[in-house]
Amino acid sequence: MDILGATLRICVDDLETAVPFYERLAGAPAQRFERGGVSVAAVGCFLLMSGPESELEVLRKVAATIAVTDVDEADRVLTDSGAHVLAGPVATPAGRNLIAMHPDGYVYEYVDRRTAQ
């Protein structure tokens, strides 16, 4: 499994206030989208999220987002290595993802940019 990078997930109260700081820090403009009632801004290696507490409560349980070349391969490697896949693989607007709990109890999202065939 090729790991391409990781994104830090940050829940913020006010996305509009937080975005300029992270744009300056990362030296890049935010890419914005909505997902399940949550407003999201991807800025460099940061994924800022703001929305209803009921939605953020679930999102806070995921330690980081890990980009991989192929979520199906990640699924196999994770399962063979003792991780428990909690959700997915499923299609997303940008590719596919899965959520897995590692044997140490930490939860991660794995994503790829592959679209459904």
Side-chain angles (χ1 to χ4, degrees):
M1 167 177 63
D2 292 330
I3 295 176
L4 305 174
T7 302
L8 305 170
R9 301 164 62 96
I10 304 167
C11 295
V12 298
D13 292 331
D14 183 349
L15 196 63
E16 298 309 314
T17 300
V19 165
F21 170 81
Y22 284 95
E23 285 179 327
R24 186 163 184 183
L25 188 64
Q31 297 177 359
R32 297 173 182 248
F33 57 95
E34 299 278 327
R35 179 107 192 256
V38 174
S39 297
V40 180
V43 188
C45 67
F46 302 102
L47 190 65
L48 308 175
M49 300 172 286
S50 184
E53 186 54 39
S54 59
E55 298 287 333
L56 295 179
E57 180 181 2
V58 173
L59 296 173
R60 282 189 178 102
K61 295 178 181 178
V62 178
T65 298
I66 300 170
V68 294
T69 54
D70 184 349
V71 162
D72 294 325
E73 180 185 8
D75 188 6
R76 288 189 297 276
V77 170
L78 288 162
T79 301
D80 291 349
S81 301
H84 176 68
V85 175
L86 303 173
V90 297
T92 71
R96 298 173 307 144
N97 79 339
L98 67 78
I99 306 292
M101 180 183 295
H102 291 188
D104 58 14
Y106 283 93
V107 177
Y108 296 90
E109 176 187 34
Y110 288 82
V111 299
D112 67 22
R113 298 240 181 233
R114 299 176 70 181
T115 56
Q117 303 297 332

